[in-house]
Amino acid sequence: MIKKCLFPAAGYGTRFLPATKAIPKEMLPIVNKPLIQYGVEEAIEAGMDTMAIITGRGKRAIEDHFDISYELEHQIKGTSKEHLLHDIRNLVENYTFTYTRQKQMKGLGHAVLVGETLIGSEPFGVVLADDLCEGEGKGVLAQMVELFMKYRTSIVAVMEVEKSKISKYGVISGKEIEDGVFMVQDMIEKPKPEEAPSNLAVIGRYILTPDIFDILRETKPGTGGEIQLTDALKVQAQKGMVIAYKFKGKRFDCGSVEGFVEATNYFYQKFTQK
Ligand code: G1P
């Protein structure tokens, strides 16, 4: 079973300035819940019990969120608002949250490598919290864990993306081995539209096998001068050890204002139907 989930959360969130000047972007709420809590709940649904969070300077609100606030507990106990704390209390009491800091922003691959100390040598999940996912039937990570049981390789979640937007993503090429499941042959980070090997874009959900750490140690800076997770996955893919999975469900790009508003409207509808 996969028990640990890594949350790279050290980025600056510049696309949301000034909102993210003093607040981590992962703490921006969709309706009444911070983005990262959605990701944590998805990991728990997939059977994971340890959240390994990569933070950075200015991110302490994340640690405070997943901790007890005695003052708040004292104020709210016995009031009509107490139920609002029910879900977060459950997370704080029943799951483990571990942290380490990424001191320099050298890319997603670097962030994952910084997490090695929290993960050790076991397969693990990765959630990029600004990709907010809602799975069909079950969560996207839970769907991927199921697939991991069968293939025992790294897995990336992919979706079809219009050509004009493909340069925002890691893009795969591969051979379809069962419906919606591809054996990855090649991967490119943020290709030009004319160089994209397919329209299948990687979104922020991964299952990684721990050999990724040794590969990342050797990975040179790539696109944007950053150490790219995509480049390390490509090395695994060349050994036939990466599966791409067209997940069932929705994904909102909450790293963009447009996607954030879309997610807000969608989850508000659900919120009012409760
Ligand atoms: C990262 C990855 C990219 C992936 C994307 C999904 O890019 O590097 O391969 O497609 O997340 O959201 P970022 O959005 O951090 O630039």
Side-chain angles (χ1 to χ4, degrees):
M1 274 304 280
I2 299 179
K3 287 294 175 200
K4 294 182 182 171
C5 190
L6 192 74
F7 294 79
Y12 296 120
T14 43
R15 278 188 289 177
F16 269 90
L17 283 169
T20 47
K21 185 162 176 248
I23 296 172
K25 66 172 174 172
E26 296 77 13
M27 289 301 294
L28 294 177
I30 297 296
V31 188
N32 60 347
K33 193 166 29 175
L35 273 170
I36 193 162
Q37 189 178 334
Y38 286 91
V40 166
E41 288 172 357
E42 187 184 328
I44 289 169
E45 192 212 336
M48 301 170 192
D49 63 10
T50 300
M51 310 303 141
I53 304 180
I54 310 300
T55 66
R57 286 179 291 282
K59 298 280 184 163
R60 275 160 63 177
I62 298 176
E63 288 164 65
D64 289 338
H65 185 68
F66 295 110
D67 198 355
I68 300 171
S69 166
Y70 285 103
E71 196 173 326
L72 185 62
E73 291 289 337
H74 177 73
Q75 286 293 330
I76 214 165
K77 202 162 184 59
T79 73
S80 60
K81 304 254 176 61
E82 196 173 353
H83 69 279
L84 295 173
L85 283 181
H86 178 268
D87 291 352
I88 184 69
R89 267 186 193 153
N90 170 43
L91 300 186
V92 171
E93 280 167 21
N94 296 307
Y95 299 92
T96 301
F97 294 84
T98 62
Y99 301 88
T100 190
R101 278 195 181 197
Q102 185 183 6
K103 288 162 215 142
Q104 290 173 293
M105 300 305 130
K106 294 195 204 161
L108 178 58
H110 178 250
V112 170
L113 183 56
V114 167
E116 182 180 21
T117 173
L118 304 176
I119 299 292
S121 56
E122 53 191 279
F124 59 102
V126 177
V127 168
L128 308 185
D130 51 16
D131 277 345
L132 178 49
C133 292
E134 192 185 56
E136 220 174 87
K138 62 174 82 151
V140 174
L141 262 189
Q143 295 171 28
M144 293 167 77
V145 165
E146 203 165 90
L147 207 60
F148 179 80
M149 295 307 170
K150 183 164 173 191
Y151 290 101
R152 304 272 162 182
T153 63
S154 287
I155 303 177
V156 296
V158 293
M159 65 182 237
E160 288 179 13
V161 159
E162 293 164 36
K163 206 172 179 185
S164 61
K165 297 198 175 137
I166 203 83
S167 319
K168 289 177 20 185
Y169 299 91
V171 182
I172 68 126
S173 70
K175 190 167 160 264
E176 196 159 16
I177 49 176
E178 58 175 290
D179 195 23
V181 178
F182 301 79
M183 178 66 72
V184 177
Q185 287 155 339
D186 197 10
M187 295 184 77
I188 309 181
E189 180 66 14
K190 302 193 172 72
K192 293 190 186 124
E194 62 276 16
E195 284 162 13
S198 76
N199 65 344
L200 292 174
V202 177
I203 62 124
R205 297 291 180 278
Y206 308 79
I207 304 272
L208 300 177
T209 53
D211 55 307
I212 199 77
F213 296 125
D214 283 339
I215 300 171
L216 280 168
R217 255 186 282 284
E218 302 296 321
T219 302
K220 301 273 174 301
T223 306
E226 296 188 331
I227 297 173
Q228 297 293 350
L229 180 58
T230 302
D231 293 341
L233 279 162
K234 181 178 170 159
V235 175
Q236 289 187 328
Q238 283 160 351
K239 298 179 202 145
M241 295 304 280
V242 180
I243 295 286
Y245 168 60
K246 242 166 132 182
F247 67 95
K248 297 188 175 61
K250 291 184 192 309
R251 170 260 185 184
F252 299 93
D253 174 15
C254 295
S256 76
V257 173
E258 191 192 15
F260 188 90
V261 172
E262 217 179 291
T264 301
N265 288 332
Y266 178 80
F267 283 91
Y268 182 65
Q269 284 279 323
K270 292 187 61 161
F271 181 79
T272 51
Q273 279 160 13
K274 262 192 195 169

